[in-house]
């Protein structure tokens, strides 16, 4: 796995323009029948190969030469050559092979970063109106969960929900130091009509009630990602129906995906 270190700030668009052609360089650097795969997102990329010797002796020098011609270097911090069974992190997710199965989970570093962010957000709003806190908390939780919902995330989601519950409980004990545990639970965890859902009611300008609920990441659910067609162009009328069906999920059979055999072959 490798990442770039540029000599200045670079946008994803410029990254794509600058690194266009890197995949061809990687493939041409190894013998024709060598099993080498290349995946890139902006300036982060992974190269998988049959052996460490192939990656160190052929692929890495070719990549370094390609980057040097463009004034770029490999990041020493991000670049690592490792065995897939030991696992590696890419774009906030950990890839590890167990036997013949590839497991992709939210990285420990990413989970800890979210935990710190959620804890800081709740502590910062101990004395603030609760609806404001809920809005900001939901925005953070929903964005993180939607990003990781396509991989093996159930355990991470459960851990985050437990942590959010603990932090909300500590926050309420500070806001209502003289109230009993039963009073706190009845007021905040049954307000929405469902147990274990933190919620508060507020009055609107029209004197009606509005409920604000803290979302549970587990409720967002796991939904496997369907790989997009490599040749699909969102600006081409020829693919209008294809993208409409992806957005509306009308017929999953119509949407082509990378087969399990093809995906496993990348890390064989």
């Amino acid at each position: 796995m490798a990442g770039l270190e540029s000599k200045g700030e670079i946008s994803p668009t410029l990254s794509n323009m600058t690194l266009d052609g890197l995949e061809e360089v990687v493939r041409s650097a190894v013998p024709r029948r060598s099993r080498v795969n290349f995946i890139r997102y902006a300036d982060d990329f992974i190269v998988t190969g049959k052996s460490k010797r192939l990656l160190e002796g052929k692929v890495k020098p070719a990549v370094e030469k390609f980057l040097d011609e463009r004034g770029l270097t490999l990041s020493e911090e991000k670049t690592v050559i490792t065995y897939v069974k030991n696992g590696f992190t890419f774009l906030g997710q950990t890839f590890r092979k167990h036997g013949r199965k590839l497991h992709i989970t939210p990285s420990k570093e990413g989970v800890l970063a979210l935990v710190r962010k959620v804890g800081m957000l709740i502590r910062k709003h101990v004395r603030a109106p609760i609806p404001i806190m809920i809005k900001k908390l939901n925005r953070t939780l929903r964005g993180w969960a939607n990003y990781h919902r396509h991989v093996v995330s159930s355990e991470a989601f459960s851990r985050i929900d437990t942590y959010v519950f603990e932090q909300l409980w500590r926050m309420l004990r500070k806001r209502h130091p003289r109230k009993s545990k039963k009073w706190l639970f009845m007021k905040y965890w049954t307000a929405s009509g469902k147990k274990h859902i933190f919620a508060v009611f507020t009055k609107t300008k029209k004197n009606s009630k509005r409920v604000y609920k803290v979302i549970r990441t587990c409720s967002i659910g796991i939904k496997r990602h369907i790989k997009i067609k490599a040749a699909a162009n969102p600006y081409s009328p020829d693919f209008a129906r294809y993208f409409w069906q992806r957005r509306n999920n009308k017929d999953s059979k119509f949407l082509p995906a990378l087969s399990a055999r093809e995906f496993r072959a990348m890390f064989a």
Side-chain angles (χ1 to χ4, degrees), residues 1-267:
M1 180 186 68
L4 293 183
E5 182 178 324
S6 62
K7 296 182 179 179
E9 291 185 2
I10 187 169
S11 68
T13 301
L14 290 177
S15 297
N16 288 329
M17 294 172 63
T18 304
L19 299 180
D20 185 40
L22 180 56
E23 180 175 0
E24 289 75 12
V25 168
V26 169
R27 296 189 183 281
S28 61
V30 299
R32 189 172 183 180
R33 295 184 179 181
S34 298
R35 290 184 296 180
V36 171
N37 296 280
F38 180 90
I39 302 172
R40 180 173 67 85
Y41 182 83
D43 59 347
D44 290 309
F45 56 87
I46 301 173
V47 182
T48 65
K50 185 178 181 180
S51 67
K52 183 176 180 180
R53 182 179 178 181
L54 181 68
L55 293 174
E56 287 184 333
K58 298 290 185 180
V59 175
K60 190 176 180 181
V63 171
E64 289 176 334
K65 181 181 178 181
F66 177 89
L67 297 178
D68 185 62
E69 293 173 351
R70 290 157 177 78
L72 300 171
T73 59
L74 285 174
S75 169
E76 295 183 2
E77 181 182 352
K78 292 183 178 181
T79 303
V80 60
I81 298 178
T82 185
Y83 191 39
V84 69
K85 289 187 177 179
N86 296 329
F88 61 87
T89 299
F90 180 64
L91 300 179
Q93 296 178 340
T94 298
F95 297 71
R96 182 177 286 109
K97 194 174 182 181
H98 299 273
R100 293 188 176 183
K101 292 185 177 180
L102 178 69
H103 286 179
I104 308 174
T105 59
S107 67
K108 292 182 179 179
E109 297 81 3
V111 173
L112 290 175
L114 178 66
V115 164
R116 288 191 291 266
K117 186 174 182 179
V118 167
M120 185 180 298
L121 192 154
I122 294 177
R123 289 191 296 272
K124 184 178 179 181
H125 291 80
V126 169
R127 303 300 176 188
I130 291 182
I132 294 178
M133 180 204 67
I134 291 178
K135 288 180 181 179
K136 294 185 177 181
L137 185 59
N138 283 349
R139 191 180 303 123
T140 299
L141 294 174
R142 186 178 291 108
W144 184 86
N146 280 331
Y147 179 77
H148 292 289
R149 68 181 302 193
H150 303 295
V151 298
V152 184
S153 306
S154 297
E155 185 177 341
F157 283 6
S158 179
R159 179 182 175 185
I160 293 300
D161 288 339
T162 299
Y163 179 78
V164 170
F165 171 85
E166 293 172 349
Q167 291 300 305
L168 289 173
W169 184 260
R170 291 182 61 184
M171 181 267 293
L172 291 177
R173 297 291 285 176
K174 291 181 179 180
R175 292 179 72 107
H176 308 286
R178 297 185 180 182
K179 297 296 183 179
S180 66
K181 293 181 180 180
K182 183 178 180 180
W183 185 91
L184 293 175
F185 183 79
M186 294 298 294
K187 181 173 177 61
Y188 292 100
W189 271 278
T190 61
S192 65
K194 297 181 180 180
K195 291 184 178 181
H196 309 300
I197 301 294
F198 183 90
V200 295
F201 283 103
T202 60
K203 288 185 178 180
T204 65
K205 294 181 179 179
K206 297 181 180 180
N207 290 325
S208 59
K209 288 185 177 180
R210 180 176 180 180
V211 62
Y212 289 87
K213 305 176 185 178
V214 173
I215 66 168
R216 298 178 72 249
T217 56
C218 287
S219 67
I220 291 178
I222 306 299
K223 184 178 180 182
R224 296 294 175 237
H225 174 70
I226 300 174
K227 187 177 182 295
I228 195 170
K229 278 184 176 181
N233 184 345
Y235 301 102
S236 172
D238 296 337
F239 290 97
R241 179 169 176 263
Y242 172 77
F243 283 104
W244 182 88
Q245 287 193 303
R246 282 191 67 90
R247 288 193 298 270
N248 294 274
N249 196 26
K250 295 297 183 180
D251 186 0
S252 59
K253 295 181 180 179
F254 174 81
L255 304 176
L258 193 66
S259 69
R261 179 180 298 176
E262 291 172 327
F263 194 69
R264 287 196 299 267
M266 294 174 58
F267 300 93

